[in-house]
Amino acid sequence: MTETQADRDVGPKLATIKADIGSAFNAMIAKGTITERDRAEFMQSMDLSMVGSQRAFIKIFGAMAKAQIEGKAVNGAGPSAEGQQPNGKTAPPSIAARMYPNLSQQS
């Protein structure tokens, strides 16, 4: 485990990788791919063999887990400046009006 924690690719991200692996297990259980018993037996095997503390295993298993879980929510920075206009100010011209400024407007 000392070698794993010292690895520059795995060590600083170890807590995140473990969280991703846990999320992947939860996702597979929710989908019915594995059962809670499968997870428990797998974890017991990892504890007995100690392969779960090896750098290469953590790195590869973490990458596989990331492919299994959904991404995180992306927070916006508020409404669009162009979409929110103060009273009395007109909205910007449409894309077509910007592309063809000399084209007559039809109502």
Side-chain angles (χ1 to χ4, degrees):
M1 195 60 164
T2 305
E3 180 184 328
T4 300
Q5 291 172 336
D7 185 274
R8 63 183 172 102
D9 293 332
V10 177
K13 302 175 191 170
L14 194 56
T16 303
I17 293 171
K18 285 182 177 182
D20 287 346
I21 292 170
S23 295
F25 274 124
N26 292 338
M28 289 187 290
I29 290 170
K31 291 177 188 174
T33 308
I34 64 170
T35 64
E36 187 61 49
R37 180 180 175 190
D38 296 332
R39 179 193 353 216
E41 289 175 7
F42 179 81
M43 297 305 285
Q44 184 179 19
S45 298
M46 293 295 98
D47 290 343
L48 291 174
S49 68
M50 293 179 31
V51 73
S53 62
Q54 293 180 356
R55 183 201 63 80
F57 180 85
I58 293 172
K59 188 174 184 178
I60 292 169
F61 211 73
M64 291 188 323
K66 231 182 203 340
Q68 188 71 22
I69 58 176
E70 292 185 22
K72 309 272 188 286
V74 177
N75 294 326
S80 165
E82 290 184 357
Q84 302 293 317
Q85 297 293 328
N87 289 337
K89 186 174 180 184
T90 59
S94 68
I95 294 174
R98 284 182 271 170
M99 289 176 64
Y100 306 103
N102 298 327
L103 187 64
S104 65
Q105 296 288 327
Q106 295 187 13
S107 352

